[in-house]
Amino acid sequence: MIKTPVPRVGIDRIALYQGGESRIDGRSDALKLSSNENPFGVPESARAAWSDAARELHRYPSADHSDLRDAIAEVHDLNPDQVICGAGSDEVISFLCQAYGGEGTEVIHTEHGFSMYRISAMASGAAPVEVPEVERQVAVDCILDGVTDRTRLVFVANPANPTGTMIDASEVNRLARALPSDVLLVLDGAYAEYVEGFDGGAALVEARDNVVMTRTFSKIYGLGGLRVGWGYGPVHVIDNLNRVRGPFNLSKVQLSVAEAAARDRNWVRRCSKENAACREWLSRSLAAVDVPSDRSSANFILARFRDEEEANACDAVFREDGILVRKVRGYKLPDCLRITVGSESDCRRVVDSVRRFREVKK
Ligand SMILES: *Cc1c(COP(=O)(O)O)cnc(C)c1O
């Protein structure tokens, strides 16, 4: 027998990330509501920065990201020395697992939690530990019950994906206080901008020594294709994350475009206002045809059906109508479909399609 190279223990058990679908065979006009992308696209400010940055591509980018960190810190009123930037918040999640996870440790995520937590934990050699939610909502007591002396990280998205639900500040504070002081609580704020007046957990980061917040340019900033996210944490944590970060993990283009977008406050205001109005209309209209959803605090809703069969039947009608939504069986929600809140006319198409689905069944 010829030996072949063998990966580290557990690597071959990592389930590949399943992204939202982006095409329907035979159609070029599919409406993509499967990845929580911004229906208004990319801000003009970011487009302009893109063409400027393209002129300097022979130069290496900044290794310390100071301009982008300063912009983020200014806009969110944070300390730039406590900010770290990555290729999407996915990369920041991976830094956290590399630096604090690893063989012999456990990483907690919740029942319907974002799948990158599990993937990154396993990639580091850590054992992912899933704890229950209660009615599609993160439950602090279930998390605390899951803590052992091997726990090093706890991941909580607030608002959560794919449920769209949120836990309030008092619960997040209770969790942070009750966790052992050597366990890092990671608050994933990918959708924080959609919640008016919400700081994503920044104040808690500043008040404690074991809380980190992650944020992204992929959602409200409309830059999922650019791949920029960031983390905010205590100086000692950021210092360790920087040790595992590649010096040139972000290109000049990524850095300048994200900086321009960060400073574009009108864009965020406009998109979050529009999203809230369309989201309320969409969830009310679907409820009226017997498709309920939990109150969402993000840019999508989780539509609930009687069972998996009904969810799949509605998905089939969506496809006939050229609409792509996200099946969430992999998130243990087989009877649900996650639908990104699009523009007003996108939402109308969704509602028309669900009405047709209800008609077909009669
Ligand atoms: C979309 C999303 C992210 C962001 O991923 P990026 O790598 O920044 O594109 C992080 N967490 C959650 C819960 C998300 O839904």
Side-chain angles (χ1 to χ4, degrees):
M1 274 287 276
I2 298 171
K3 284 190 189 169
T4 55
V6 178
R8 282 183 12 245
V9 172
I11 295 298
D12 58 354
R13 287 200 299 269
I14 298 175
L16 290 183
Y17 179 79
Q18 305 284 332
E21 286 180 277
S22 55
R23 39 175 306 152
I24 300 176
D25 284 340
R27 281 191 86 124
S28 55
D29 64 339
L31 172 58
K32 186 176 180 231
L33 301 176
S34 54
S35 298
N36 301 341
E37 291 152 339
N38 190 323
F40 306 108
V42 175
E44 200 44 57
S45 52
R47 258 182 229 290
W50 172 275
S51 27
D52 283 352
R55 282 188 247 133
E56 287 271 307
L57 291 182
H58 59 301
R59 303 280 181 211
Y60 268 90
S62 147
D64 68 6
H65 307 157
S66 60
D67 291 348
L68 176 56
R69 288 189 296 108
D70 284 347
I72 289 168
E74 221 176 284
V75 170
H76 297 272
D77 196 19
L78 306 173
N79 175 2
D81 295 335
Q82 293 178 245
V83 176
I84 183 167
C85 303
S89 42
D90 284 357
E91 196 185 23
V92 180
I93 292 168
S94 145
F95 296 156
L96 285 159
C97 290
Q98 284 179 65
Y100 292 92
E103 304 290 335
T105 72
E106 292 175 359
V107 173
I108 293 183
H109 66 85
T110 63
E111 185 179 356
H112 309 298
F114 185 49
S115 58
M116 285 312 297
Y117 309 148
R118 194 176 181 86
I119 292 174
S120 291
M122 291 176 79
S124 80
V129 173
E130 180 190 307
V131 300
E133 297 191 10
V134 175
E135 295 279 314
R136 299 168 300 281
Q137 181 137 24
V138 167
V140 167
D141 292 313
C142 298
I143 294 175
L144 294 173
D145 285 346
V147 174
T148 72
D149 53 11
R150 288 181 300 280
T151 308
R152 293 292 176 277
L153 287 152
V154 173
F155 283 98
V156 172
N158 204 31
N161 171 23
T163 58
T165 59
M166 213 180 158
I167 58 171
D168 58 32
S170 62
E171 280 297 276
V172 179
N173 289 342
R174 183 163 78 85
L175 174 60
R177 270 199 308 271
L179 283 173
S181 59
D182 61 346
V183 172
L184 202 49
L185 171 61
V186 183
L187 300 172
D188 181 338
Y191 302 96
E193 292 86 355
Y194 291 103
V195 183
E196 213 184 316
F198 180 48
D199 72 352
L204 195 60
V205 169
E206 283 167 2
R208 303 195 57 89
D209 240 4
N210 65 332
V211 180
V212 172
M213 166 181 79
T214 60
R215 303 286 286 263
T216 184
F217 285 93
S218 300
K219 304 288 157 56
I220 206 160
Y221 289 96
L223 295 169
L226 186 71
R227 311 305 304 133
V228 185
W230 52 281
Y232 190 60
V235 170
H236 66 97
V237 174
I238 298 302
D239 176 63
N240 287 317
L241 301 186
N242 271 317
R243 291 168 199 272
V244 298
R245 177 178 70 81
F248 305 118
N249 62 323
L250 294 180
S251 69
K252 282 183 93 75
V253 175
Q254 285 169 296
L255 290 167
S256 344
V257 174
E259 186 187 336
R263 296 188 187 281
D264 198 338
R265 303 184 198 213
N266 278 335
W267 174 265
V268 172
R269 262 196 295 273
R270 186 189 131 211
C271 293
S272 91
K273 205 165 147 229
E274 191 72 23
N275 175 72
C278 290
R279 181 184 64 207
E280 299 325 313
W281 182 82
L282 178 63
S283 66
R284 255 187 291 116
S285 306
L286 293 189
V289 286
D290 210 14
V291 178
S293 53
D294 297 312
R295 195 189 138 66
S296 168
S297 298
N299 66 339
F300 55 86
I301 65 166
L302 184 69
R304 281 203 314 278
F305 296 84
R306 201 165 29 237
D307 50 28
E308 179 168 7
E309 192 188 342
E310 196 187 67
N312 288 342
C314 185
D315 184 59
V317 172
F318 276 143
R319 286 173 162 275
E320 281 170 24
D321 291 342
I323 300 171
L324 283 164
V325 301
R326 184 79 138 81
K327 283 191 179 180
V328 280
R329 170 174 241 299
Y331 283 96
K332 304 196 166 173
L333 295 161
D335 55 340
C336 297
L337 295 174
R338 192 194 68 190
I339 308 171
T340 302
V341 175
S343 66
E344 206 179 309
S345 69
D346 297 343
C347 291
R348 256 198 293 273
R349 262 180 82 177
V350 168
V351 171
D352 286 346
S353 195
V354 175
R355 284 189 187 135
R356 193 169 81 77
F357 163 66
R358 286 299 191 216
E359 291 302 315
V360 168
K361 289 227 319 183
K362 272 181 195 160

